[in-house]
Amino acid sequence: MTYEGWITACEEEDIEEEDVIRFDYGDRTFAIYRSAKNEYFATDGYCTHEKFHLADGLVMGNHIECPKHNGRFDYTTGEAKRAPVCQALKTYPLKQESGLIWIRIN
């Protein structure tokens, strides 16, 4: 479902605390995160190093660890935090409404 540039990504309960899920839209893919503080974040889905999907990675605090080479990003800012990654992830605004998580990808 879309509404004024916002796209429904998932339901709030689809993501456990301190976890990540994959969200695909058209030919693009994203990673949607839920923090321990019950906040939601979104980044590009693929690691900037070798294009492995981050939804298969490990969430540790505010970091996501890529499953391929263990590079890390801060998923709240997209900042690269540990080699071999050196290029930041793009982040996207999210909002919660009526139990749904909405993402703006444009």
Coordinates of all heavy atoms in Angstrom, one line a residue, residues 8-77:
T8 N 3.9 0.9 2.6 CA 3.9 -0.1 3.7 C 5.0 -1.1 3.6 O 5.0 -1.8 2.6 CB 2.5 -0.8 3.8 OG1 1.5 0.2 3.8 CG2 2.4 -1.7 5.0
A9 N 5.8 -1.2 4.6 CA 7.0 -2.1 4.6 C 6.6 -3.4 5.3 O 7.0 -4.5 4.9 CB 8.2 -1.5 5.2
C10 N 5.9 -3.3 6.4 CA 5.6 -4.5 7.2 C 4.7 -4.1 8.4 O 4.4 -2.9 8.5 CB 6.9 -5.2 7.8 SG 7.8 -4.1 8.9
E11 N 4.3 -5.0 9.2 CA 3.6 -4.7 10.4 C 4.6 -4.7 11.5 O 5.7 -5.3 11.5 CB 2.6 -5.8 10.7 CG 1.5 -5.9 9.7 CD 0.4 -6.9 10.0 OE1 0.4 -7.4 11.2 OE2 -0.5 -7.1 9.2
E12 N 4.3 -3.9 12.6 CA 5.3 -3.7 13.7 C 5.7 -5.0 14.3 O 6.9 -5.2 14.6 CB 4.7 -2.8 14.8 CG 4.5 -1.4 14.4 CD 3.8 -0.6 15.5 OE1 3.5 -1.2 16.6 OE2 3.5 0.6 15.2
E13 N 4.8 -5.9 14.4 CA 5.1 -7.2 15.0 C 5.8 -8.2 14.1 O 6.2 -9.3 14.6 CB 3.8 -7.9 15.5 CG 2.8 -8.2 14.3 CD 1.4 -8.1 14.7 OE1 1.0 -7.3 15.6 OE2 0.6 -8.9 14.2
D14 N 6.1 -7.8 12.9 CA 6.9 -8.7 12.0 C 8.3 -8.7 12.4 O 9.1 -9.6 11.9 CB 6.8 -8.2 10.6 CG 5.4 -8.4 10.0 OD1 4.6 -9.2 10.5 OD2 5.1 -7.8 9.0
I15 N 8.8 -7.7 13.2 CA 10.2 -7.6 13.6 C 10.3 -7.8 15.1 O 9.7 -7.0 15.8 CB 10.8 -6.3 13.1 CG1 10.5 -6.0 11.7 CG2 12.3 -6.3 13.4 CD1 10.9 -4.6 11.3
E16 N 11.1 -8.7 15.5 CA 11.4 -8.8 16.9 C 12.3 -7.7 17.4 O 13.0 -7.1 16.5 CB 12.1 -10.2 17.2 CG 11.3 -11.4 16.8 CD 10.1 -11.6 17.7 OE1 10.2 -11.3 18.9 OE2 9.0 -12.1 17.2
E17 N 12.4 -7.4 18.7 CA 13.3 -6.4 19.2 C 14.7 -6.9 18.8 O 15.1 -8.1 18.9 CB 13.2 -6.3 20.7 CG 12.0 -5.5 21.1 CD 11.9 -5.2 22.5 OE1 13.0 -5.3 23.2 OE2 10.8 -4.8 23.0
E18 N 15.6 -5.9 18.5 CA 17.0 -6.1 18.1 C 17.1 -7.2 17.0 O 17.9 -8.1 17.1 CB 17.8 -6.6 19.3 CG 18.0 -5.5 20.4 CD 19.0 -5.8 21.4 OE1 20.2 -5.5 21.2 OE2 18.6 -6.4 22.4
D19 N 16.3 -6.9 15.9 CA 16.3 -7.8 14.8 C 16.2 -7.0 13.5 O 16.0 -5.8 13.5 CB 15.2 -8.9 14.9 CG 15.5 -10.2 14.2 OD1 16.6 -10.2 13.5 OD2 14.7 -11.1 14.2
V20 N 16.2 -7.7 12.4 CA 16.2 -7.1 11.1 C 15.4 -8.0 10.2 O 15.5 -9.2 10.3 CB 17.6 -6.8 10.5 CG1 18.4 -8.1 10.4 CG2 17.5 -6.1 9.2
I21 N 14.7 -7.4 9.2 CA 14.0 -8.2 8.2 C 14.3 -7.6 6.8 O 14.6 -6.4 6.7 CB 12.5 -8.3 8.4 CG1 11.8 -7.0 8.3 CG2 12.1 -9.1 9.7 CD1 10.3 -7.1 8.2
R22 N 14.0 -8.3 5.8 CA 14.2 -7.9 4.4 C 12.9 -7.3 3.9 O 11.8 -7.9 4.2 CB 14.6 -9.1 3.6 CG 14.8 -8.7 2.1 CD 15.3 -9.9 1.4 NE 15.5 -9.6 0.0 CZ 16.4 -10.2 -0.8 NH1 17.2 -11.1 -0.3 NH2 16.6 -9.8 -2.0
F23 N 13.0 -6.3 3.2 CA 11.8 -5.7 2.5 C 12.2 -5.4 1.0 O 13.1 -4.7 0.8 CB 11.3 -4.4 3.2 CG 10.2 -3.7 2.4 CD1 9.0 -4.2 2.2 CD2 10.5 -2.4 1.9 CE1 8.0 -3.6 1.5 CE2 9.5 -1.7 1.2 CZ 8.3 -2.3 1.0
D24 N 11.5 -6.0 0.1 CA 11.7 -5.7 -1.3 C 10.6 -4.9 -1.9 O 9.4 -5.2 -1.6 CB 11.8 -7.1 -2.1 CG 13.0 -7.9 -1.6 OD1 14.1 -7.3 -1.3 OD2 12.8 -9.1 -1.5
Y25 N 10.9 -4.0 -2.7 CA 9.9 -3.2 -3.4 C 10.4 -2.9 -4.8 O 11.5 -2.3 -5.0 CB 9.7 -1.8 -2.7 CG 8.6 -1.0 -3.2 CD1 7.3 -1.3 -3.0 CD2 8.9 0.1 -4.0 CE1 6.3 -0.6 -3.5 CE2 7.9 0.8 -4.6 CZ 6.6 0.5 -4.3 OH 5.5 1.2 -4.8
G26 N 9.7 -3.4 -5.8 CA 10.2 -3.3 -7.2 C 11.5 -4.0 -7.3 O 11.6 -5.1 -6.9
D27 N 12.5 -3.3 -7.9 CA 13.8 -4.0 -8.1 C 14.8 -3.5 -7.0 O 16.0 -3.8 -7.1 CB 14.4 -3.7 -9.4 CG 14.6 -2.2 -9.7 OD1 14.1 -1.4 -8.8 OD2 15.2 -1.8 -10.7
R28 N 14.2 -3.0 -5.9 CA 15.1 -2.5 -4.8 C 14.8 -3.4 -3.6 O 13.8 -4.0 -3.4 CB 14.8 -1.1 -4.5 CG 15.1 -0.2 -5.7 CD 14.7 1.3 -5.4 NE 15.5 1.8 -4.4 CZ 15.3 3.1 -3.9 NH1 14.4 3.8 -4.4 NH2 16.1 3.6 -3.0
T29 N 15.9 -3.4 -2.7 CA 15.7 -4.2 -1.5 C 16.3 -3.4 -0.3 O 17.2 -2.6 -0.4 CB 16.5 -5.6 -1.6 OG1 16.2 -6.3 -0.4 CG2 18.0 -5.4 -1.8
F30 N 15.6 -3.6 0.9 CA 15.9 -2.8 2.0 C 16.1 -3.7 3.2 O 15.6 -4.8 3.2 CB 14.8 -1.8 2.3 CG 14.5 -0.9 1.1 CD1 13.6 -1.3 0.2 CD2 15.2 0.3 1.0 CE1 13.4 -0.5 -1.0 CE2 15.0 1.1 -0.2 CZ 14.0 0.7 -1.1
A31 N 16.6 -3.2 4.3 CA 16.7 -3.9 5.6 C 15.9 -3.0 6.6 O 16.2 -1.8 6.7 CB 18.1 -4.1 6.0
I32 N 15.0 -3.6 7.3 CA 14.2 -2.8 8.3 C 14.6 -3.4 9.7 O 14.5 -4.6 9.9 CB 12.7 -3.0 8.1 CG1 12.3 -2.8 6.6 CG2 11.8 -2.2 9.0 CD1 12.3 -1.4 6.1
Y33 N 14.9 -2.5 10.6 CA 15.4 -2.9 11.9 C 14.5 -2.4 13.0 O 13.8 -1.4 12.9 CB 16.8 -2.2 12.2 CG 17.8 -2.4 11.1 CD1 17.8 -1.5 10.0 CD2 18.7 -3.4 11.1 CE1 18.7 -1.7 9.0 CE2 19.6 -3.6 10.1 CZ 19.6 -2.7 9.0 OH 20.6 -2.9 8.0
R34 N 14.5 -3.2 14.1 CA 13.8 -2.7 15.3 C 14.8 -2.8 16.4 O 15.4 -3.8 16.7 CB 12.6 -3.7 15.6 CG 11.8 -3.3 16.8 CD 10.7 -4.2 17.0 NE 9.9 -4.0 18.2 CZ 8.9 -4.7 18.6 NH1 8.5 -5.7 17.9 NH2 8.3 -4.4 19.7
S35 N 15.0 -1.7 17.1 CA 16.0 -1.6 18.2 C 15.4 -2.1 19.5 O 14.2 -2.4 19.6 CB 16.4 -0.1 18.3 OG 15.4 0.6 19.0
A36 N 16.3 -2.2 20.5 CA 15.9 -2.6 21.8 C 15.0 -1.6 22.4 O 14.3 -1.9 23.4 CB 17.1 -2.8 22.7
K37 N 15.0 -0.3 21.9 CA 14.2 0.7 22.5 C 12.9 0.8 21.7 O 12.2 1.8 21.8 CB 14.9 2.1 22.4 CG 16.1 2.1 23.3 CD 16.8 3.5 23.1 CE 18.1 3.5 24.0 NZ 18.8 4.7 23.9
N38 N 12.6 -0.2 20.9 CA 11.4 -0.3 20.1 C 11.3 0.8 19.0 O 10.2 1.3 18.7 CB 10.1 -0.3 21.0 CG 8.9 -0.9 20.3 OD1 9.1 -1.8 19.5 ND2 7.8 -0.4 20.7
E39 N 12.4 1.2 18.5 CA 12.5 2.2 17.4 C 12.8 1.5 16.1 O 13.5 0.4 16.2 CB 13.6 3.3 17.7 CG 13.3 4.1 18.9 CD 14.5 5.0 19.3 OE1 15.6 4.4 19.4 OE2 14.3 6.2 19.4
Y40 N 12.3 2.0 15.0 CA 12.5 1.3 13.7 C 13.4 2.2 12.8 O 13.3 3.4 12.9 CB 11.1 1.1 13.1 CG 10.2 0.1 13.8 CD1 9.4 0.6 14.9 CD2 10.2 -1.2 13.5 CE1 8.6 -0.3 15.6 CE2 9.4 -2.1 14.2 CZ 8.6 -1.7 15.2 OH 7.9 -2.6 15.9
F41 N 14.2 1.5 12.0 CA 15.1 2.1 11.1 C 15.1 1.3 9.8 O 14.8 0.2 9.8 CB 16.5 2.2 11.7 CG 16.6 2.9 13.0 CD1 16.4 2.3 14.2 CD2 16.9 4.3 13.0 CE1 16.4 3.0 15.4 CE2 16.9 5.0 14.2 CZ 16.7 4.3 15.4
A42 N 15.6 2.0 8.7 CA 15.7 1.3 7.4 C 17.0 1.8 6.7 O 17.4 2.9 6.8 CB 14.5 1.7 6.6
T43 N 17.6 0.8 6.1 CA 18.8 1.1 5.3 C 18.6 0.3 3.9 O 17.7 -0.5 3.8 CB 20.1 0.6 5.9 OG1 20.1 -0.8 6.0 CG2 20.2 1.2 7.3
D44 N 19.6 0.6 3.0 CA 19.7 -0.2 1.8 C 19.8 -1.7 2.3 O 20.4 -1.9 3.4 CB 20.8 0.2 1.0 CG 20.6 1.4 0.1 OD1 19.4 1.5 -0.3 OD2 21.5 2.1 -0.2
G45 N 19.4 -2.6 1.5 CA 19.4 -4.0 2.0 C 20.8 -4.7 1.8 O 21.1 -5.6 2.6
Y46 N 21.6 -4.2 0.9 CA 22.8 -4.9 0.6 C 24.0 -4.2 1.2 O 24.1 -3.0 1.2 CB 23.1 -5.0 -0.9 CG 22.1 -6.0 -1.6 CD1 21.3 -5.5 -2.6 CD2 22.1 -7.3 -1.3 CE1 20.4 -6.4 -3.2 CE2 21.3 -8.2 -1.9 CZ 20.4 -7.7 -2.9 OH 19.6 -8.6 -3.5
C47 N 24.9 -5.0 1.7 CA 26.2 -4.5 2.2 C 26.9 -3.7 1.1 O 26.9 -4.2 0.0 CB 27.1 -5.7 2.7 SG 28.7 -5.2 3.3
T48 N 27.6 -2.6 1.4 CA 28.3 -1.9 0.4 C 29.6 -2.5 0.0 O 30.2 -2.1 -1.0 CB 28.5 -0.4 0.9 OG1 29.3 -0.5 2.1 CG2 27.2 0.3 1.1
H49 N 30.0 -3.5 0.7 CA 31.3 -4.2 0.3 C 31.1 -5.2 -0.8 O 31.7 -5.1 -1.8 CB 31.8 -4.8 1.6 CG 33.1 -5.6 1.4 ND1 33.2 -7.0 1.7 CD2 34.3 -5.3 0.8 CE1 34.4 -7.4 1.4 NE2 35.1 -6.4 0.8
E50 N 30.3 -6.3 -0.6 CA 30.1 -7.3 -1.6 C 28.7 -7.7 -1.8 O 28.4 -8.8 -2.3 CB 31.0 -8.5 -1.2 CG 32.4 -8.3 -1.5 CD 33.2 -9.6 -1.7 OE1 32.6 -10.7 -1.7 OE2 34.5 -9.4 -1.8
K51 N 27.8 -6.8 -1.5 CA 26.3 -7.0 -1.9 C 25.7 -8.2 -1.3 O 24.8 -8.9 -1.9 CB 26.2 -7.1 -3.4 CG 26.8 -5.8 -4.1 CD 26.0 -4.6 -3.8 CE 26.6 -3.4 -4.6 NZ 26.2 -2.2 -4.0
F52 N 26.0 -8.6 -0.1 CA 25.3 -9.6 0.7 C 24.1 -8.9 1.4 O 24.3 -7.8 1.9 CB 26.2 -10.4 1.6 CG 26.8 -11.6 0.9 CD1 27.9 -11.4 0.1 CD2 26.4 -12.9 1.1 CE1 28.5 -12.4 -0.6 CE2 26.9 -13.9 0.5 CZ 28.0 -13.7 -0.4
H53 N 23.0 -9.6 1.5 CA 21.9 -9.0 2.1 C 22.1 -8.9 3.6 O 22.4 -9.9 4.3 CB 20.5 -9.7 1.8 CG 19.4 -8.7 1.9 ND1 18.9 -8.2 3.1 CD2 18.7 -8.1 0.9 CE1 18.0 -7.4 2.8 NE2 17.8 -7.3 1.5
L54 N 21.8 -7.7 4.2 CA 22.1 -7.5 5.6 C 21.0 -8.1 6.5 O 21.2 -8.3 7.7 CB 22.2 -6.0 5.9 CG 23.4 -5.3 5.2 CD1 23.3 -3.8 5.3 CD2 24.7 -5.8 5.9
A55 N 19.8 -8.5 5.9 CA 18.8 -9.1 6.7 C 19.3 -10.5 7.2 O 18.7 -11.0 8.1 CB 17.5 -9.2 5.9
D56 N 20.3 -11.0 6.6 CA 20.9 -12.3 7.0 C 22.0 -12.1 8.1 O 22.6 -13.1 8.5 CB 21.4 -13.1 5.8 CG 20.4 -13.5 4.8 OD1 19.2 -13.7 5.3 OD2 20.6 -13.5 3.6
G57 N 22.2 -10.8 8.4 CA 23.3 -10.5 9.3 C 22.8 -10.5 10.8 O 21.7 -10.9 11.1
L58 N 23.7 -10.1 11.6 CA 23.5 -10.1 13.1 C 23.4 -8.7 13.6 O 24.2 -7.8 13.4 CB 24.7 -10.8 13.8 CG 24.7 -10.9 15.3 CD1 23.5 -11.8 15.7 CD2 26.0 -11.5 15.8
V59 N 22.3 -8.4 14.3 CA 22.1 -7.1 15.0 C 22.7 -7.2 16.4 O 22.4 -8.1 17.2 CB 20.6 -6.8 15.0 CG1 20.3 -5.5 15.8 CG2 20.0 -6.7 13.7
M60 N 23.5 -6.2 16.6 CA 24.2 -6.0 18.0 C 24.1 -4.6 18.4 O 24.8 -3.7 17.8 CB 25.7 -6.5 17.9 CG 25.8 -7.9 17.4 SD 27.5 -8.3 17.0 CE 27.8 -7.3 15.6
G61 N 23.2 -4.3 19.3 CA 23.0 -2.9 19.7 C 22.5 -2.1 18.5 O 21.5 -2.6 17.8
N62 N 23.2 -1.0 18.1 CA 22.8 -0.3 16.9 C 23.6 -0.6 15.7 O 23.6 0.1 14.7 CB 23.0 1.2 17.2 CG 21.9 1.8 18.1 OD1 20.9 1.1 18.4 ND2 22.2 3.0 18.6
H63 N 24.2 -1.8 15.7 CA 25.0 -2.2 14.6 C 24.4 -3.5 13.9 O 23.8 -4.3 14.6 CB 26.5 -2.6 15.1 CG 27.2 -1.4 15.5 ND1 28.4 -1.5 16.2 CD2 27.0 -0.1 15.4 CE1 28.8 -0.3 16.5 NE2 28.0 0.6 16.0
I64 N 24.7 -3.5 12.6 CA 24.3 -4.7 11.8 C 25.7 -5.3 11.3 O 26.5 -4.5 10.8 CB 23.3 -4.4 10.7 CG1 23.1 -5.7 9.9 CG2 23.8 -3.3 9.8 CD1 22.2 -6.7 10.6
E65 N 25.9 -6.5 11.5 CA 27.1 -7.2 11.0 C 26.8 -8.0 9.7 O 25.9 -8.8 9.8 CB 27.7 -8.1 12.1 CG 29.0 -8.7 11.6 CD 29.6 -9.6 12.7 OE1 29.2 -10.8 12.8 OE2 30.4 -9.0 13.5
C66 N 27.5 -7.7 8.7 CA 27.3 -8.4 7.4 C 27.6 -9.9 7.6 O 28.7 -10.2 8.2 CB 28.1 -7.8 6.3 SG 28.0 -8.6 4.7
P67 N 26.8 -10.8 7.0 CA 27.0 -12.2 7.2 C 28.2 -12.7 6.4 O 28.7 -13.8 6.7 CB 25.7 -12.8 6.8 CG 25.2 -11.9 5.8 CD 25.5 -10.5 6.3
K68 N 28.7 -12.0 5.4 CA 29.8 -12.5 4.6 C 31.2 -12.2 5.2 O 32.0 -13.2 5.3 CB 29.7 -11.8 3.2 CG 30.7 -12.3 2.2 CD 30.6 -13.7 1.8 CE 31.6 -14.1 0.8 NZ 31.6 -15.5 0.4
H69 N 31.5 -11.0 5.5 CA 32.9 -10.6 5.9 C 32.9 -9.9 7.3 O 33.9 -9.4 7.7 CB 33.6 -9.8 4.9 CG 33.9 -10.5 3.6 ND1 33.3 -10.1 2.4 CD2 34.7 -11.6 3.4 CE1 33.7 -11.0 1.5 NE2 34.6 -11.8 2.0
N70 N 31.8 -9.9 8.0 CA 31.7 -9.3 9.3 C 31.9 -7.8 9.4 O 32.2 -7.3 10.5 CB 32.6 -10.1 10.3 CG 32.4 -11.6 10.3 OD1 33.2 -12.3 9.8 ND2 31.3 -12.0 10.8
G71 N 31.8 -7.1 8.3 CA 31.8 -5.7 8.3 C 30.6 -5.2 9.1 O 29.6 -5.9 9.1
R72 N 30.7 -4.0 9.7 CA 29.6 -3.5 10.5 C 29.2 -2.1 10.1 O 30.1 -1.3 9.7 CB 30.0 -3.5 12.0 CG 30.1 -4.9 12.5 CD 30.4 -4.9 14.0 NE 30.7 -6.2 14.5 CZ 31.1 -6.5 15.6 NH1 31.4 -5.6 16.5 NH2 31.4 -7.8 16.0
F73 N 27.9 -1.8 10.3 CA 27.3 -0.5 10.1 C 26.5 -0.1 11.3 O 25.9 -1.0 11.9 CB 26.4 -0.5 8.9 CG 27.0 -0.9 7.6 CD1 27.0 -2.3 7.2 CD2 27.6 0.0 6.7 CE1 27.5 -2.6 5.9 CE2 28.1 -0.4 5.5 CZ 28.1 -1.7 5.1
D74 N 26.4 1.2 11.5 CA 25.5 1.7 12.5 C 24.2 1.8 11.7 O 24.1 2.7 10.8 CB 25.9 3.0 13.1 CG 25.0 3.6 14.1 OD1 23.8 3.3 14.0 OD2 25.5 4.3 15.0
Y75 N 23.2 1.0 12.0 CA 22.0 1.1 11.1 C 21.1 2.3 11.4 O 20.2 2.6 10.7 CB 21.1 -0.2 11.3 CG 20.6 -0.5 12.6 CD1 19.4 0.2 13.1 CD2 21.1 -1.5 13.4 CE1 18.9 -0.1 14.3 CE2 20.6 -1.8 14.7 CZ 19.5 -1.1 15.1 OH 19.0 -1.4 16.4
T76 N 21.4 3.1 12.5 CA 20.7 4.3 12.8 C 21.1 5.5 11.9 O 20.4 6.4 11.7 CB 20.7 4.7 14.3 OG1 22.1 5.0 14.6 CG2 20.2 3.5 15.2
T77 N 22.4 5.4 11.5 CA 23.0 6.5 10.7 C 23.5 6.0 9.3 O 23.7 6.8 8.4 CB 24.2 7.1 11.4 OG1 25.2 6.1 11.5 CG2 23.8 7.6 12.8

